[in-house]
Amino acid sequence: MAKTFNDIPLIRPETPLLDTIDNPFHLRELDEDQLLELADELRAYLLFSVGKSGGHFGAGLGTVELTIALHYIFNTPHDRLVWDVGHQAYPHKILTGRRDQMLSIRQAKGLSAFPKRDESQYDTFGVGHSSTSISAALGMALAATMNGEDKKTVAVIGDGAMTAGMAFEALNHTAHTDADLLVILNDNNMSISHNVGGLATYFSKIWSSRFYNTIREGGKKVLRSVPSAATFVRKTEEHLKAMVAPGIVFEELGFNYIGPIDGHNLPLLVQTLRNLKALSGPILLHTITRKGKGFAPAEADPVGYHALNKIEPKNKPKVAVSQPSSTMKPPKQKYQQVFGDWLCDMAEKEPRLVGITPAMCEGSGMVNFAKHFPDRFHDVAIAEQHAVTLAAGLACDGIKPVVAIYSTFLQRAYDQLIHDVALQNLDVMFAIDRAGLVGEDGPSHAGSFDLTYLRCIPNMLVMTPSDENETRQMLYTGFIHKGPSAVRYPRGTGPGVVIEKDMTAFPIGKGVIRREGSQIAILNFGTLLPAALEAAEHLNATVVDMRFVKPLDTALVDKLASQHQLLVTLEENTTQGGAGSAVSEHLACSGIAMPIMHLGLPDKFMDHGSHQQQLIAAGLDSSGIQYAVEQRLGELESIQNTAS
């Protein structure tokens, strides 16, 4: 029975057994009766470490027992263990030599929030996007066969990740390979928890036993010569399993389905995995776990405790700041809240509006919309491709869908974006969240490429608001636009501008001059505008909020080119093919030859850290912008002096 905690310890708990585990080899030296004590210590340390550092929380608490059992039974890292997404892999990191580094997780130069191949030999596959584990693990299992290696391969996938089409594509292929692959479905959806215990546990023990599977495989060989009898026996077995387990679909796909079993019953897990390790072929073990297990508040609110911010001591003195009430500014709004408020306001005015999200209701700010407009809200689970084509189908019959999706996840539906929406010029709007760098979540979640991959698609309208109010107005602009449109905005809060309640459409493809200067013109695309304005004060540069990447305000670009000696484009997107490239392409096509420099994300994946640290590393803070422009001016002056 897992020990339950009601508070997050602010002082490191005593973990004498866990402290002896520097790698899974040490874990496998323990007696089985010590594992329950280890589970309690691991859960306590996980609570402490995440409380100190912040990070993903509930899913890891739910996999404590499963992680211990996997590393105890399988010979990792020789045997391959592949985690899906990585939210559930914090206990895995602790047990694989990174215990003392956990306080640095998600910080610059610290541990990644997700499994990362160059961080540990135990991280067999780098993840961040869901539903990749079965495909990757199948590849490893097939490679082991080709290389003549005797090793086991295990994929651990959550019930949410199992909703993606990619997971079922991998399941379908696995069944046709006879690969020795164990897929563990870590199911923390409590709707089927009544199947745990009783007959389900009893039959799971039978189905995973060597005796049963020897008879099962031997019977197949004997009955191959009597097809009708073989079919009868197979159907009888499947119907028997279907009476006590929800796994008939996996049996039909060709897996030997075991479960569901209690994923917090550590002795049962060890016994079952030991049995399954001796079997061959595709096997799916269904475990039932509880997200946030062992921490009462997280068990009661698994969504709210998906991740934690750093916990400050309760007795930490608060610094009082005296400020007259008349001068107090309202708190800055997150861009996700700006979108959520706009979505509800727009839905009140427009009955054709339908909101769609691929499993990101809370993250995208759609909770209120889902509550007030349940019949017009569709959470399609982790199925980005389906989300986009669903929107296309709705648009075909006069509905106006708004697809709220993270930039990094829209990449997974690129074919649908091109073929199903843009090619047919359908009236779908994309609210693209987490555009640009995303701080601690790192490169797997960064929206570094959307301007590049969007602007090359015909029929697309692509907008880059620079603040909260522009975000609201551009959402409205995109909504009333006929055809595909996209508004991209970052994670976090804006600069704190006043948001106008009234919605006004911006002129399509028109930018706005924010500061008049000389010699240098900074063409800003997106929320780096405050940094551009600050740098411009030192450079005496003109600053333009371009607003639109496509269509580009070519008339304004021509005007700026005629009045300045250097154009500087600025975007929180890769410079390869981005908004700056659009400006250069226009100048080249117009025969305008002049110096231009592109400031944006470099041609590499940016390591995790705070958002501000990432901007500084990319040279996209005000000082970095100023320095880069001054360097370029010096180079141009040197060239001119040489020429003269």
Side-chain angles (χ1 to χ4, degrees), residues 343-487:
L343 191 65
C344 290
D345 293 344
M346 196 70 236
E348 291 281 3
K349 298 175 180 291
E350 177 52 80
R352 296 184 308 122
L353 184 151
V354 167
I356 300 172
T357 179
M360 287 295 159
C361 177
E362 291 81 12
S364 293
M366 300 181 76
V367 172
N368 285 338
F369 177 79
K371 178 180 178 181
H372 292 105
F373 303 95
D375 295 337
R376 293 154 65 184
F377 170 72
H378 298 282
D379 186 338
V380 303
I382 302 175
E384 294 87 358
Q385 298 175 37
H386 168 60
V388 174
T389 303
L390 172 67
L394 287 164
C396 284
D397 281 354
I399 303 301
K400 180 73 181 197
V402 176
V403 180
I405 190 167
Y406 290 10
S407 171
T408 186
F409 298 148
L410 183 55
Q411 295 164 184
R412 310 185 85 179
Y414 194 53
D415 177 65
Q416 288 69 29
L417 176 63
I418 295 172
H419 183 271
D420 298 341
V421 175
L423 179 62
Q424 303 182 90
N425 201 26
L426 291 174
D427 205 8
V428 178
M429 191 182 88
F430 295 90
I432 302 177
D433 194 355
R434 268 64 168 183
L437 299 169
V438 292
E440 292 82 0
D441 281 345
S444 65
H445 281 57
S448 305
F449 311 108
D450 53 77
L451 293 184
T452 298
Y453 69 66
L454 286 172
R455 78 172 192 86
C456 64
I457 303 175
N459 296 329
M460 286 296 303
L461 172 66
V462 184
M463 293 171 276
T464 56
S466 59
D467 58 41
E468 304 96 317
N469 185 56
E470 282 207 351
T471 299
R472 180 177 174 86
Q473 307 310 328
M474 286 188 186
L475 287 166
Y476 178 71
T477 303
F479 186 82
I480 66 173
H481 173 74
K482 301 301 181 184
S485 63
V487 182

Side-chain angles (χ1 to χ4, degrees), residues 278-339:
L279 303 181
S280 60
I283 302 169
L284 189 137
L285 173 62
H286 188 171
T287 65
I288 305 297
T289 61
R290 188 176 185 89
K291 196 171 184 179
K293 178 67 175 178
F295 183 59
E299 290 189 29
D301 182 15
V303 174
Y305 281 90
H306 170 70
L308 278 185
N309 292 323
K310 182 178 179 180
I311 304 297
E312 298 293 346
K314 294 179 180 179
N315 59 353
K316 182 177 180 179
K318 295 182 179 180
V319 180
V321 179
S322 59
Q323 189 174 22
S325 58
S326 59
T327 63
M328 290 184 67
K329 295 182 180 180
K332 296 179 181 179
Q333 286 195 19
K334 292 183 177 181
Y335 282 99
Q336 292 69 42
Q337 182 181 347
V338 174
F339 166 72

Side-chain angles (χ1 to χ4, degrees), residues 143-150:
T145 300
M146 293 178 66
N147 294 330
E149 296 176 313
D150 181 17

Side-chain angles (χ1 to χ4, degrees), residues 488-506:
R488 59 107 68 173
Y489 47 89
R491 177 188 186 184
T493 59
V497 304
V498 176
I499 301 175
E500 298 171 9
K501 185 69 174 176
D502 293 339
M503 291 181 273
T504 305
F506 288 161

Side-chain angles (χ1 to χ4, degrees), residues 82-310:
V82 184
W83 295 94
D84 211 290
V85 183
H87 298 156
Q88 55 192 342
Y90 281 29
H92 160 80
K93 286 179 179 274
I94 294 172
L95 292 176
T96 53
R98 289 166 280 181
R99 179 186 61 247
D100 296 333
Q101 297 172 272
M102 288 298 293
L103 299 185
S104 73
I105 201 164
R106 303 175 81 245
Q107 300 172 20
K109 307 298 184 182
L111 294 181
S112 168
F114 306 98
K116 189 176 181 182
R117 280 174 54 84
D118 60 7
E119 185 178 288
S120 170
Q121 62 178 329
Y122 294 94
D123 291 358
T124 59
F125 196 73
V127 293
H129 293 188
S130 80
S131 316
T132 61
S133 60
I134 304 176
S135 297
L138 176 59
M140 295 174 189
L142 294 175
T145 300
M146 293 178 66
N147 294 330
E149 296 176 313
D150 181 17
K151 61 173 60 175
K152 295 293 183 179
T153 308
V154 183
V156 183
I157 184 169
D159 56 317
M162 190 64 90
T163 63
M166 182 178 180
F168 280 89
E169 292 170 11
L171 288 172
N172 182 63
H173 181 209
T174 301
H176 293 281
T177 64
D178 289 327
D180 287 338
L181 175 63
L182 171 60
V183 176
I184 298 179
L185 173 57
N186 174 33
D187 189 344
N188 54 35
N189 186 332
M190 300 307 292
S191 64
I192 58 174
S193 62
H194 61 273
N195 285 318
V196 176
L199 284 176
T201 299
Y202 173 70
F203 278 108
S204 294
K205 289 181 179 179
I206 293 176
W207 294 330
S208 67
S209 70
R210 181 176 299 181
F211 176 74
Y212 168 80
N213 281 275
T214 299
I215 294 176
R216 182 177 188 263
E217 296 304 316
K220 286 182 181 180
K221 296 177 182 178
V222 172
L223 293 171
R224 279 179 188 147
S225 59
V226 190
S228 59
T231 301
F232 172 76
V233 172
R234 179 175 61 83
K235 290 296 182 182
T236 300
E237 179 190 42
E238 289 175 357
H239 289 308
L240 176 62
K241 287 187 174 184
M243 286 193 298
V244 293
I248 193 67
V249 64
F250 300 111
E251 289 280 344
E252 291 291 345
L253 284 170
F255 277 75
N256 181 10
Y257 172 85
I258 309 295
I261 68 172
D262 183 353
H264 299 298
N265 186 331
L266 190 47
L268 177 61
L269 281 171
V270 170
Q271 176 186 345
T272 303
L273 290 174
R274 183 178 286 119
N275 289 340
L276 296 181
K277 184 179 180 181
L279 303 181
S280 60
I283 302 169
L284 189 137
L285 173 62
H286 188 171
T287 65
I288 305 297
T289 61
R290 188 176 185 89
K291 196 171 184 179
K293 178 67 175 178
F295 183 59
E299 290 189 29
D301 182 15
V303 174
Y305 281 90
H306 170 70
L308 278 185
N309 292 323
K310 182 178 179 180

